[in-house]
Amino acid sequence: MSFPLLTATAALPAIGAVATAAVPAARRTAAKWTALLFSLGTLVLAGVALARFEPGGDRYQLTESHAWIKDFGVRYELGVDGIGVVLIGLTALLLPFIILAGWHDADPLENRSRRWRPTQGFFALMLMTEAMVILSFEATDVFLFYILFEAMLIPMYFLIGGFGDRATSSGSPAAGGGDENAAAQRSYAAVKFLLYNLVGGLIMLAAVIGLYVVAGTFSLSEIAEARANGSFSMATSTERWLFLGFFFAFAVKAPLWPLHTWLPNAMGEATAPVAVLITAVVDKVGTFAMLRFCLQLFPGASKWATPVIVVLALISIVYGALLAVGQRDIKRLIAYASISHFGFIVLGIFAMTSQGQSGATLYMVNHGISTAALMLVAGFLISRRGSRLIADYGGVQKVAPILAGTFLVGGLATLSLPGLAPFVSEFLVLVGTFSAYPAAGVIATTGIVLAALYVLVLYQRTMTGPVKAEVKGMADLKVREMAVVLPLIALLLFLGVYPKPLTEIVNPAVQHTMSDVQKKDPQPEVEAAK
């Protein structure tokens, strides 16, 4: 029997979560190092999976299949295509940086004995979330995926509500997290996150049961085989209802307008590393699932719903960018920018072109890296001043030039500056959209203009101008903080000029998806020579 690499990649962070939680309470530093080492070990296994993946090989590779709940046809089935394996790599890559960035976020605070922040629990919850996200990218059994899709809400709920940001949006730091108003805001954000995603999950559960009734199995491979040999088909109305059940849950997770409102609250009240975990890692499960489940299981319904979904994606792009322009809170600005970016991802997926879907997959990866860089630097900035308000800053580049420089690069990546990784993915999404829906492509470009506005205005207001009195003593980035940010910036530069390592893996998987929906790229119209 071959080594179960996919199981091991997901199991290692879960084991690390247990090991971290078991570290004695007084040994907080040991708990941090335990979490970091397990996250690095997971990164190594993810690298092995990437190395063993053959882009020109079978659609699903490194497969594992074992009976689980025989009476209901549920199996423990794993496999990765090019899209899943690169997202596993993204998740494993980001977690060590997230852990390093949050190194002191759960330390007990002086003179606040009535609210102890358990370090072990904080990092254990991060690793458990990583395990569930990785396994969701690997699952090829619909019921197994559903369980993971819902289970990852539990650790995220506690990370948002129990380990909220110590800074406030009122201009003064929350005293040790004990301020009642700040605690109420964190609780509200966590409950809103949970309720939105639970409602989406319950609707999806009904669709999962409906799928089993009509297909007799939860296995993607068995459904694909039955469809290929003509032994399985769905009535048009049934397929559309099931598609809507799946898509609704994924649109909440993504998040897509108008189901997006939980994200600004969650990212605003969470610590910066947890905010990165939300938008750069967990939310990618929603857009990934649109490709793996919506398009593969319900190709006809996906094409039927495309015009409406394209409109929703365009609204997300423009609406998210406009609200980002008007934000006074740094973290909420980044949250609304992410809503705009997720609109681009969904637009690329449902443009139903190979360029659009390749761009959407690259966008998932590049958005994860760029948002991590920007949000983590923003977190370092906020931790020094104790406020999330843009107006409380000014002249930071004169006292902390490295912090300001890395903040600028992260912002430029967010607006998709040529030469940085997000430009490649955004360009592909727009090319793919223009070829299928020219009007939608024109509207989507307004998101680029607005992105330049909110990023550059944010930098101008926080980093330039006179040095404010509260900023004069601000320290520049420390060695640990530079170890977090500089590799992410280097990766943005590398993938911005040489995206081939990712496109070679992603493109064959995109062709399989295009085949599922029986779509071909539109051919350019060329006038015949007279």
Side-chain angles (χ1 to χ4, degrees):
M1 182 180 296
S2 60
F3 178 71
L5 181 58
L6 296 185
T7 294
T9 306
L12 189 60
I15 295 169
V18 175
T20 302
V23 174
R27 302 186 62 186
R28 295 188 298 273
T29 302
K32 298 172 185 178
W33 279 105
T34 300
L36 181 60
L37 290 174
F38 272 95
S39 69
L40 290 172
T42 304
L43 178 58
V44 170
L45 289 180
V48 173
L50 278 165
R52 290 184 56 184
F53 186 84
E54 299 178 6
D58 295 337
R59 179 172 190 173
Y60 292 111
Q61 300 178 33
L62 308 176
T63 55
E64 302 173 32
S65 181
H66 307 282
W68 184 17
I69 309 175
K70 293 183 179 180
D71 292 342
F72 296 98
V74 180
R75 298 184 63 82
Y76 177 79
E77 279 193 352
L78 306 181
V80 288
D81 59 1
I83 299 170
V85 77
V86 297
L87 291 177
I88 290 171
L90 171 69
T91 303
L93 172 71
L94 290 181
L95 256 292
F97 296 116
I98 290 172
I99 290 171
L100 267 179
W103 201 252
H104 298 298
D105 284 358
D107 288 350
L109 299 170
E110 295 179 3
N111 302 321
R112 301 301 298 182
S113 58
R114 67 189 178 95
R115 182 170 176 81
W116 178 58
R117 300 165 68 86
T119 304
Q120 288 82 348
F122 181 69
F123 292 105
L125 290 169
M126 282 187 173
L127 288 173
M128 188 56 68
T129 302
E130 178 186 21
M132 293 178 183
V133 170
I134 288 176
L135 201 55
S136 69
F137 291 141
E138 298 171 347
T140 56
D141 182 277
V142 178
F143 192 80
L144 173 62
F145 173 83
Y146 170 76
I147 291 175
L148 297 164
F149 187 81
E150 291 293 272
M152 69 180 69
L153 302 179
I154 299 171
M156 290 307 304
Y157 169 80
F158 288 108
L159 284 170
I160 297 168
F163 300 91
D165 198 350
R166 299 179 185 182
T168 71
S169 57
S170 61
S172 59
D179 179 77
E180 293 182 1
N181 184 54
Q185 290 175 350
R186 289 195 299 271
S187 178
Y188 172 78
V191 171
K192 190 174 183 179
F193 161 81
L194 187 64
L195 289 179
Y196 266 68
N197 284 276
L198 277 178
V199 169
L202 288 174
I203 293 174
M204 180 183 170
L205 177 60
V208 169
I209 295 171
L211 177 66
Y212 181 75
V213 170
V214 298
T217 180
F218 293 112
S219 171
L220 280 178
S221 59
E222 291 180 6
I223 293 173
E225 183 179 352
R227 179 173 275 144
N229 61 32
S231 62
F232 169 69
S233 63
M234 277 187 271
T236 300
S237 59
T238 301
E239 182 181 357
R240 290 177 179 178
W241 280 111
L242 294 180
F243 167 84
L244 291 175
F246 277 77
F247 180 80
F248 183 86
F250 303 152
V252 172
K253 183 84 78 179
L256 185 68
W257 185 92
L259 305 172
H260 67 284
T261 59
W262 62 268
L263 183 66
N265 296 100
M267 288 183 66
E269 298 305 324
T271 63
V274 173
V276 172
L277 190 62
I278 294 169
T279 190
V281 176
V282 173
D283 286 354
K284 297 302 187 300
V285 176
T287 47
F288 162 80
M290 292 179 189
L291 283 164
R292 171 165 285 188
F293 297 102
C294 286
L295 270 61
Q296 184 174 345
L297 292 173
F298 316 110
S302 296
K303 291 185 284 188
W304 162 75
T306 288
V308 174
I309 296 173
V310 166
V311 171
L312 295 179
L314 291 173
I315 295 174
S316 289
I317 291 170
V318 179
Y319 176 81
L322 284 172
L323 288 185
V325 171
Q327 287 303 304
R328 298 182 302 165
D329 183 310
I330 296 174
K331 291 171 70 177
R332 289 178 71 91
L333 185 152
I334 299 172
Y336 279 110
S338 288
I339 291 170
S340 181
H341 295 151
F342 274 102
F344 276 106
I345 295 172
V346 175
L347 181 65
I349 292 172
F350 283 90
M352 300 287 186
T353 61
S354 59
Q355 299 100 327
Q357 292 187 357
S358 293
T361 304
L362 289 179
Y363 215 129
M364 293 185 223
V365 176
N366 295 333
H367 170 265
I369 300 170
S370 62
T371 299
L374 181 60
M375 177 61 85
L376 292 179
V377 177
F380 298 149
L381 174 69
I382 291 168
S383 67
R384 286 159 165 75
R385 173 66 177 83
S387 171
R388 305 198 305 259
L389 290 179
I390 297 172
D392 287 341
Y393 297 87
V396 174
Q397 67 181 9
K398 297 176 182 176
V399 296
I402 300 176
L403 189 154
T406 53
F407 189 80
L408 177 61
V409 176
L412 294 176
T414 298
L415 63 82
S416 300
L417 184 76
L420 297 174
F423 170 77
V424 179
S425 46
E426 193 161 279
F427 178 78
L428 285 172
V429 166
L430 289 174
V431 168
T433 303
F434 270 113
S435 64
Y437 303 99
V442 172
I443 297 171
T445 56
T446 60
I448 302 174
V449 178
L450 293 171
L453 181 61
Y454 62 69
V455 167
L456 296 178
V457 169
L458 172 64
Y459 184 83
Q460 179 191 34
R461 292 178 178 175
T462 55
M463 302 296 166
T464 65
V467 180
K468 290 201 172 183
E470 298 85 356
V471 173
K472 285 184 178 179
M474 182 175 289
D476 212 338
L477 292 184
K478 301 174 183 177
V479 174
R480 172 181 60 85
E481 295 167 333
M482 286 191 286
V484 170
V485 178
L486 295 182
L488 294 175
I489 290 176
L491 199 54
L492 288 171
L493 291 168
F494 174 76
L495 293 176
V497 298
Y498 190 65
K500 186 178 179 181
L502 290 181
T503 57
E504 284 187 336
I505 298 175
V506 167
N507 287 343
V510 166
Q511 292 305 319
H512 284 296
T513 304
M514 292 286 290
S515 176
D516 289 334
V517 293
Q518 298 179 346
K519 294 282 286 186
K520 294 182 179 180
D521 290 331
Q523 297 299 316
E525 297 181 3
V526 181
E527 294 184 5
K530 294 182 180 180

